[in-house]
Every structure is written in C-alpha cells, then in structure tokens.
Amino acid sequence: MQTLLTSGAMSGAGRQLALLLCGWCMAAAVPGGPAEEGCPAEPHQAARYVAAVYEHRSFLSPDPLALTSRKQALELMNRNLDIYEQQVTTAARKGAQIIVFPEDGIHGFNFTRTSIYPFLDFMPSPYSVRWNPCLEPHRFSDTEVLQRLSCMARTGEMFLVANLGTKQPCHSSDPGCPSDGRYQFNTNVVFSSNGTLVDRYRKHNLYFEAAFDTPLEVDHIIFDTPFAGKFGVFTCFDILFFDPAVRLLRDSEVKHVVYPTAWMNQLPLLAAIQIQRAFAIAFGINFLAANIHHPSLGMTGSGIHTPLKSFWHHNMESPEGHLIIAEVAKNPLGLISTGNTTGKTDPSHRKFLELLAGDPYSEKDAQDVHCDRAPKSTTNASPTFNSEMMYDNFTLVPVLGREGHLRVCANGLCCHLLYQRPTVSQELYALGVFDGLHTVHGTYYVQVCALVKCGGLSFDTCGQEITEATGMFEFRLWGNFSTPYIFPMLLTSGMTLETPDQLGWESDHYFLKKRGLSSGLVTAALYGRLYEKDSGLWETPPPHIHTGTG
C-alpha cells in the first residue's frame, strides 16, 4: 500500500470575500510532499485539521451470487479489515483526526439479496442506544465488523467513517417490511475517536443494488467533531441528487462532507475526481472522498478536496491501494461570490461583457454561431452537429482557429466560448450543449455546457472518453443556466485537476474563466442540475449557493 501526503497539483487562491472576480495566486502540491503555497489565503495552523482517505483494493468474493456462511463471510471481510487497520495505524502516525474508507470496501459488490445476508451486521439505532462496540462487544450479536471498526477508531484516536452492509429486523405489521422480514441497507457508520458509534447513514439513491433496500425516509446525517465542527455524510450516487446531498448543506454550519463511494469513471464529464472536486467548489466545502480501487472495472479516484485546491489520486495502472493525508482549513474559503474587479483591465472581460449585452464580437479569425439570430449559413460560422456524450444527444460546434467566440444552443440553454490558443494542435475540440432529461443508468435533468477534446478528428468522436490532450487554451465558458446548482469541471491531460481563475454569475449567466493550463485541455464544463425536473419538487438553495441575482 502506498502513502502520500499529497497526490496531485492544484491551484491555491486568495479572495476578497465580497467579490467574485479577483486575482488568484497558485499553490502546487508536489507528489510525495506537502503543498508549496505562494499566497496567504489559507488560515493559520490552529484553524486546520488533518484528514485521511483510503482508496482500497478490496478482496472480493469469488462468486458473490453463491450462498455462504457467516464464518466464511467474516473470513473475507477480516482480510479487508486487516488492511483498514494498517491504514489507521499509518494515518495516526501522521496526525490524522478523521479517516474515510470507501463504499463496498469490506464486503464487495454484485450480491443478490440472499447471498449478501451472511455479510450483514446488525445495526442498532444510534439514536436509541449509546454503544461502544469495542468496549461492549457482546451487547449485540452479528456485530463483528462494527466491533473491529470501533476498535480501530479507538486505537487510532481518530474519527472513522466506513461503509458496510447492515440488517434490521421488521414485523409484518410494518407496511414497508420486505417479505423476508428484514431491511437490508447500504450503510455508512461514523465512530468517534474513543470508538463510540456516533451515527449511521443508509444510502438513499441506490445504483442497481438489488441486495439493498431504500430507506422509507431519507437519512439527513450531520455529525459534530471537536476538531472541525459539523460534517455531512452520503454515499456514491447520492452526489447527483438533491436528497440527501444538497439538503444537508442548507445547514450553513456544515463545512465538510465525508463520502464513501464505489464510482466507475465515465469521461468526459463524470470521472470520480471530477465530480468530487466540482461539488467542493460549488458548495464551498471540504469534501473527503474515498473510492474503491479496481482499475479493471474503471474504479479509481479519491481525494481530499477544498474549494481552492485538491489532493487526489487516480491511477488505472497500479494494483495497490492508496492513502491520502492532507491538512485542510476548518473553515474553507470559497471560490464563488459576486461582483467584478477586472473589467477595466482585462480585455477578455470587456469582450465578455459586450457579448452579454448583445454587442457583436467581430475579429478576423473569430467564429460566431448565433443559434437564434444569425443566418444558418455565413462565411465565418461553423455548422452545428450532434454526437452522443454521456449517453445524451449533445449539440456541438467545432472549435477552429486560434481565437474566436462560439455560441451553441439547445432548448433554452445557450453556451458560449470566448477563447485564444497560443498554437493550434492537431486535435479536434468542440463546444457542446445539452438541456434535457438524462435517462441511462439513472434519470435526472441536466443542463451542460462543455468544451471537450474529441476522440479523433471526425465529429462523431466528440464525447468519447479520452485522458490525454495537448491543446492549450485561454478561455471563458458561460451559459444562461436556469438553475443555481452548477458544478464547474476542469480536467487536463493525465487526469489532472485544475482550479478555475474565476467563476460565478454575471448578468444572469454563469461563467468559468481559465488561463495558464498546466497541460492539454481534456474537459472544461459547467454541469447544471435541475432537481425540480427530476420529481417536480423545487427547494430553496442552501446558503452556499449563489443564484445569479447578486
């Protein structure tokens, strides 16, 4: 198993709290060493804590469909727990105060409802019972996994978050009780530094998990810590939905989220580290994400993400697990606010404001695709085309030449790109838009503006999964989104996360600006979620989210 203090390079930034458009300084994280920060944005040492997440390559059942005994199930789970114990010991030596382990890391996946049963622990309610499994191991039967986790937290003197399968008996008088007389849940557990069971979260948005039940009511779990205040907790697929992920953050005191996941990467928009980082930026929080490590299944990507920088791990080659430890602020500084301080000095910002005001942008090499007001065929306009991206039918326009302004629309969403390129690489890039209901592997409504590198030189390769690129851009990407829930994504060659220079609302358009990429651009996207179009329910945004009204 590998241990690194940091595992990637991200930007650090200082901000004036009342302003959106401000100057940013850089912080680079050196693999194997601490971040070297060149700006005074981060709070002083006393206002920080040490977090750890572990990406675990789990021992899996050779046949998850086969029936087995509790003894055999425990033998397998204890092999995984032995590794967890080693990581807690390592993290404790480095001063970690909280550690997060991944979803499915102890028992595995692809079970049936029946075959998973021997792997389930009994889960008493932490609201009705105060229990330290390490000190009271015989209080409840079938709690061997909970006991080991409790003892790890106690020995390591740290908060511990882990995922396991749990069971809860129910009576036939309960109208929701399954026919076999028990509920089975995909459960995250939280232990305090003395081993006490603090809380549990039962996954609400299951992802093709036939072995588990959906709780009758959504768990909205917030736990308090002596070192950093309030943490929220949810699991994997939950990140794409309002409940519980967004609703938790209506509590303005929740500045941190712990996130066990078993995420299969899907580029160009939903790689694990991509959505993790975007969530941290969008809500201005620290996001502690632990993924499972099975590269053959496309499962890798963990990180400790703050609004200003990230410490991440994504490795499709190594068979080993990976421990990330980082020091982060107790009260993270956000990247998003309102206002403008650069308009008078930044020529690109002046052009941006002219375009928002409806003034034409005219330059010799520019392309301008005006979906609703320009002639369909002009001498300098590129044709739109359609291509599948993330199983959705995107409308796109190619990015040609060294500079220009592009505009492409679908339904009510229009996406814009104002760009300059120092050199034009032999690669095809395209600006794409989608405004509609996504219906594959889940049903949810999205609005997306995305600048992507295509898989080849033909239009039908735009939207394919790629990880390497050489094309360098200075750009501003924006759209007239009808939701306040927008997740900014910026990914460059080699699965490198980048931090936007500026982003936020301007004249009812949400924008992202970036100059000085560290490597070739793979994806720059604004990924909007219209939760109310999933179910017809609209909720007031939490205090972390700005709505574009200033």
Side-chain angles (χ1 to χ4, degrees):
M1 306 303 159
Q2 301 176 9
T3 304
L4 288 184
L5 179 63
T6 63
S7 183
M10 291 302 300
S11 300
R15 78 167 185 172
Q16 301 173 31
L17 293 178
L19 301 176
L20 168 62
L21 305 176
C22 41
W24 300 96
C25 51
M26 304 296 292
V30 181
E36 295 179 356
E37 301 198 24
C39 51
E42 298 290 355
H44 58 80
Q45 184 79 11
R48 302 169 72 84
Y49 69 98
V50 179
V53 302
Y54 182 60
E55 180 162 310
H56 177 49
R57 181 176 179 86
S58 55
F59 294 102
L60 299 174
S61 171
D63 185 0
L65 302 181
L67 301 182
T68 187
S69 67
R70 175 67 172 174
K71 179 181 177 182
Q72 291 171 315
L74 284 170
E75 288 175 355
L76 175 70
M77 292 191 290
N78 277 320
R79 295 175 69 190
N80 288 310
L81 290 167
D82 288 344
I83 297 174
Y84 280 25
E85 200 167 68
Q86 295 168 15
Q87 304 310 312
V88 170
T89 299
T90 301
R93 287 200 304 264
K94 296 181 179 293
Q97 293 158 283
I98 186 169
I99 189 167
V100 183
F101 291 102
E103 181 186 25
D104 298 338
I106 296 172
H107 56 272
F109 38 75
N110 293 333
F111 293 95
T112 66
R113 181 175 182 84
T114 303
S115 68
I116 201 173
Y117 183 71
F119 293 84
L120 304 180
D121 266 33
F122 169 68
M123 184 74 227
S125 170
Y127 310 118
S128 58
V129 175
R130 181 170 176 82
W131 180 41
N132 187 313
C134 189
L135 299 182
E136 303 174 272
H138 304 298
R139 187 170 178 183
F140 303 101
S141 60
D142 289 343
T143 57
E144 292 91 339
V145 173
L146 291 170
Q147 292 167 32
R148 285 205 66 181
L149 293 171
S150 170
C151 290
M152 288 181 209
R154 183 174 177 83
T155 302
E157 299 182 311
M158 68 183 69
F159 273 65
L160 184 148
V161 181
N163 175 271
L164 71 158
T166 64
K167 58 187 177 183
Q168 178 184 326
C170 55
H171 195 270
S172 58
S173 61
D174 177 354
C177 184
S179 59
D180 54 16
R182 64 180 181 268
Y183 291 107
Q184 300 182 175
F185 296 119
N186 178 332
T187 305
N188 296 337
V189 288
V190 181
F191 292 96
S192 71
S193 57
N194 68 5
T196 298
L197 178 63
V198 173
D199 221 322
R200 59 98 176 94
Y201 166 73
R202 300 166 300 178
K203 186 178 180 182
H204 186 71
N205 298 287
L206 298 174
Y207 188 79
F208 303 101
E209 298 171 65
F212 294 119
D213 298 304
T214 301
L216 300 181
E217 296 183 357
V218 184
D219 290 341
H220 297 102
I221 304 303
I222 297 171
F223 63 93
D224 207 355
T225 67
F227 55 85
K230 292 183 177 180
F231 284 71
V233 55
F234 52 87
T235 309
C236 201
F237 201 40
D238 288 329
I239 199 171
L240 293 180
F241 298 92
F242 187 88
D243 269 319
V246 178
R247 194 183 297 273
L248 283 175
L249 297 171
R250 294 191 305 178
D251 184 339
S252 61
E253 294 183 3
V254 177
K255 302 293 181 66
H256 322 271
V257 166
V258 290
Y259 178 68
T261 185
W263 190 278
M264 292 178 285
N265 290 293
Q266 188 179 6
L267 289 163
L269 298 178
L270 287 179
I273 58 172
Q274 208 176 9
I275 187 64
Q276 295 163 15
R277 171 67 170 156
F279 198 92
I281 293 174
F283 289 100
I285 59 169
N286 293 330
F287 197 77
L288 282 52
N291 198 6
I292 207 80
H293 187 78
H294 289 286
S296 63
L297 301 175
M299 303 171 89
T300 181
S302 304
I304 298 172
H305 307 274
T306 82
L308 304 184
K309 62 181 177 182
S310 285
F311 309 91
W312 76 90
H313 177 73
H314 176 104
N315 193 322
M316 291 291 289
E317 306 298 328
S318 172
E320 298 297 321
H322 190 92
L323 180 65
I324 304 172
I325 301 173
E327 189 180 73
V328 294
K330 295 179 182 180
N331 293 292
L333 296 177
L335 186 59
I336 305 170
S337 185
T338 57
N340 167 45
T341 63
T342 63
K344 294 181 179 179
T345 58
D346 181 358
S348 72
H349 187 73
R350 178 181 56 80
K351 293 175 183 177
F352 167 57
L353 293 177
E354 289 174 355
L355 289 164
L356 286 179
D359 294 337
Y361 168 59
S362 177
E363 200 159 312
K364 183 170 65 174
D365 296 326
Q367 312 141 58
D368 199 349
V369 180
H370 294 287
C371 304
D372 54 0
R373 56 185 174 138
K376 289 188 176 180
S377 176
T378 64
T379 57
N380 65 343
S382 299
T384 61
F385 62 94
N386 292 90
S387 187
E388 184 179 283
M389 187 188 307
M390 310 293 297
Y391 301 104
D392 295 321
N393 184 27
F394 273 69
T395 303
L396 304 102
V397 60
V399 179
L400 306 175
R402 294 187 61 174
E403 59 184 18
H405 167 232
L406 295 172
R407 180 175 184 263
V408 61
C409 304
N411 293 334
L413 178 63
C414 285
C415 303
H416 297 250
L417 177 70
L418 185 63
Y419 69 94
Q420 290 183 326
R421 308 174 69 181
T423 58
V424 178
S425 62
Q426 297 301 308
E427 298 164 308
L428 176 61
Y429 282 85
L431 172 67
V433 59
F434 180 76
D435 183 355
L437 191 67
H438 175 89
T439 58
V440 178
H441 302 156
T443 302
Y444 45 93
Y445 200 100
V446 295
Q447 287 186 326
V448 183
C449 293
L451 169 60
V452 296
K453 182 200 166 185
C454 305
L457 297 179
S458 60
F459 288 170
D460 62 1
T461 67
C462 296
Q464 291 181 357
E465 299 193 34
I466 61 102
T467 59
E468 304 297 328
T470 62
M472 303 298 286
F473 284 82
E474 295 182 356
F475 68 92
R476 192 183 299 258
L477 174 68
W478 73 95
N480 61 328
F481 290 87
S482 53
T483 175
Y485 301 103
I486 301 167
F487 300 91
M489 300 175 174
L490 196 49
L491 192 67
T492 59
S493 193
M495 295 300 294
T496 302
L497 293 171
E498 303 263 354
T499 298
D501 295 336
Q502 302 166 355
L503 49 77
W505 291 95
E506 182 82 53
S507 302
D508 295 324
H509 290 71
Y510 193 90
F511 76 94
L512 179 158
K513 178 188 175 184
K514 183 64 180 177
R515 302 178 67 180
L517 294 172
S518 66
S519 57
L521 181 68
V522 171
T523 303
L526 298 171
Y527 191 90
R529 280 286 285 114
L530 280 75
Y531 302 108
E532 73 277 17
K533 291 195 174 183
D534 296 347
S535 62
L537 174 67
W538 175 253
E539 294 283 353
T540 302
H544 310 70
I545 291 290
H546 294 279
T547 60
T549 59

